[in-house]
Amino acid sequence: MRFLPLCILTILVSCASPPQQMTIIAHRGASGYLPEHTLESASMAHAFNPDFIEPDLVMTKDDVLVVLHDIHIDTTTNVAKVFPKKKRKDGRYYAIDFTLKQLKSLKVMERGNVKSGKAIYEDRFPRGRANFEVATFREFIELVEGLNKSRKMNIGIYPEMKSPSFHRQNKKDILKETWKVLNDYGYTSGKKKIFLQCFDSSALKEFKKRFNPKFPMIQLIGDNSWKESPDDYTKMLTPKGLKEVSSYAQGIGPWFPQLIQPVGRSYRITPLAKVAKSLGLKIHTYTLREDSLPEYVDSVKGLSVILAREGVDGVFTDFPDRIRE
Ligand code: CA
């Protein structure tokens, strides 16, 4: 077996695991269509019937959890216009320096480049049009649960605690605040649909130790160059590293090129999925975008089929309507 060329090995592995029903996670809502993390984006996502909707979480100056992808707010709001004096020495604006009331006075818009201000995805919702505001985590939960009631659905939530070490440096305990809100809405009972995700392994370990949650946790795996956390993801991706992850988390959230590596206009499957499955870890990979696809595939649906064949359990996607259509 060890002498077989990689392509034959890949075919054998592919045959071993039949395609399965994918868990669909609406990444930052239906962010392919509306500005990410707004309640409008979450509402549209809900109408697409995904399994989960994702809010990323950061804290305000007055300790409120808000739904934002970054600790910075200059790429998704008009903060530089409204509060020009509140930037830090590095020229960036941080959510943690603003009260909820101040954040609510901002206009949320489609993500743009921090220097040029140009939209990252130019075919998406036009920047600065209409009117969207920053949502709190509580508002997000009440929206999803309200729609679950009125639409007779049971769509879950998939919160991500952003940059716990940055919050700690700024004297904020994002773990405690997240637990508190989840507890207030009954998610700590183990009976409601939820996954909790984080890039920082020490934060997940600490969360487990402090709160012993009954819900599953997902260790996100990034690339070291992104500096998402103090973790060494190269080490985490080894069989030994993944075994360690299985001691505190129920699954992993790898970047999809860590599962499928592009080779010219084709691809090869890495051993990651196989190793993770052998450890009993769920695999929810990110991020499938119809407007940012690798060369070897022409739709998020096609990409999800390849991933499902390799045993991947779920996908984060900006286009939750395009996978199960
Ligand atoms: Ca996220």
Side-chain angles (χ1 to χ4, degrees):
M1 188 79 172
R2 77 209 299 186
F3 298 108
L4 285 178
L6 189 67
C7 55
I8 296 180
L9 195 62
T10 304
I11 292 164
L12 288 175
V13 171
S14 303
C15 294
S17 32
Q20 55 188 350
Q21 182 80 304
M22 275 282 188
T23 294
I24 296 175
I25 305 140
H27 182 247
R28 312 180 200 169
S31 58
Y33 304 101
L34 280 163
E36 64 183 48
H37 286 322
T38 56
L39 292 180
E40 289 84 350
S41 178
S43 307
M44 189 170 192
H46 201 285
F48 291 148
N49 305 330
D51 298 285
F52 294 88
I53 305 176
E54 180 205 40
D56 291 321
L57 304 175
V58 303
M59 285 177 71
T60 65
K61 192 176 183 180
D62 47 350
D63 297 337
V64 182
L65 283 171
V66 286
V67 184
L68 289 170
H69 179 263
D70 305 333
I71 53 175
H72 308 114
I73 48 176
D74 36 16
T75 54
T76 53
T77 74
N78 62 343
V79 65
K81 248 187 209 161
V82 184
F83 297 103
K85 289 182 184 154
K86 281 182 77 74
K87 67 177 163 203
R88 288 194 184 184
K89 281 194 188 117
D90 61 2
R92 304 297 305 266
Y93 296 82
Y94 291 74
I96 213 160
D97 295 334
F98 294 79
T99 63
L100 177 64
K101 198 176 165 196
Q102 288 170 329
L103 287 179
K104 284 281 189 188
S105 73
L106 301 176
K107 209 167 160 170
V108 173
M109 56 180 92
E110 186 61 37
R111 176 169 291 273
N113 179 285
V114 68
K115 288 197 179 118
S116 69
K118 276 195 180 148
I120 301 287
Y121 300 101
E122 54 183 29
D123 294 332
R124 295 191 181 185
F125 199 89
R127 295 204 86 203
R129 301 303 288 270
N131 192 30
F132 306 96
E133 67 175 44
V134 174
T136 68
F137 187 29
R138 287 175 190 274
E139 288 166 348
F140 171 88
I141 292 175
E142 289 179 14
L143 178 91
V144 173
E145 296 199 337
L147 284 168
N148 278 345
K149 180 168 184 276
S150 59
R151 298 190 61 229
K152 299 182 176 54
M153 300 286 293
N154 183 25
I155 291 168
I157 63 169
Y158 206 126
E160 177 186 348
M161 296 183 292
K162 281 287 179 189
S163 307
S165 58
F166 170 82
H167 281 87
R168 205 178 309 118
Q169 285 157 20
N170 286 271
K171 301 193 169 45
K172 303 285 184 200
D173 187 349
I174 192 170
L175 278 60
K176 188 179 88 182
E177 290 305 318
T178 302
W179 178 260
K180 199 167 118 191
V181 174
L182 291 177
N183 192 48
D184 285 352
Y185 287 92
Y187 285 89
T188 53
S189 68
K191 289 176 186 155
K192 286 179 130 177
K193 267 178 79 176
I194 176 175
F195 280 94
L196 181 67
Q197 46 165 340
C198 193
F199 272 104
D200 187 333
S201 67
S202 63
L204 286 176
K205 286 177 192 165
E206 187 188 332
F207 198 90
K208 181 177 156 74
K209 206 170 158 190
R210 282 170 71 185
F211 307 115
N212 195 24
K214 287 179 188 162
F215 51 73
M217 299 200 291
I218 298 291
Q219 171 70 58
L220 296 171
I221 305 180
D223 189 87
N224 286 347
S225 65
W226 306 341
K227 298 191 173 30
E228 278 283 350
S229 82
D231 283 291
D232 180 348
Y233 296 114
T234 311
K235 268 192 189 160
M236 194 182 279
L237 285 165
T238 64
K240 200 178 158 201
L242 292 167
K243 188 150 198 292
E244 162 79 9
V245 170
S246 71
S247 70
Y248 60 86
Q250 285 64 47
I252 54 168
W255 185 36
F256 76 82
Q258 293 166 336
L259 296 157
I260 313 180
Q261 277 175 356
V263 181
R265 300 195 65 181
S266 185
Y267 63 89
R268 77 169 193 96
I269 305 295
T270 75
L272 175 58
K274 213 179 160 200
V275 177
K277 297 311 281 182
S278 75
L279 291 163
L281 288 165
K282 275 197 183 307
I283 308 169
H284 293 166
T285 192
Y286 64 91
T287 303
L288 277 59
R289 296 182 166 110
E290 203 74 285
D291 48 4
S292 179
L293 287 164
E295 273 195 86
Y296 55 80
V297 77
D298 61 3
S299 66
V300 289
K301 193 171 183 179
L303 185 50
S304 74
V305 168
I306 300 172
L307 290 162
R309 218 187 280 140
E310 300 309 322
V312 171
D313 305 279
V315 292
F316 290 86
T317 178
D318 292 0
F319 298 85
D321 57 326
R322 300 284 183 89
I323 292 179
R324 214 182 274 146
E325 67 192 0

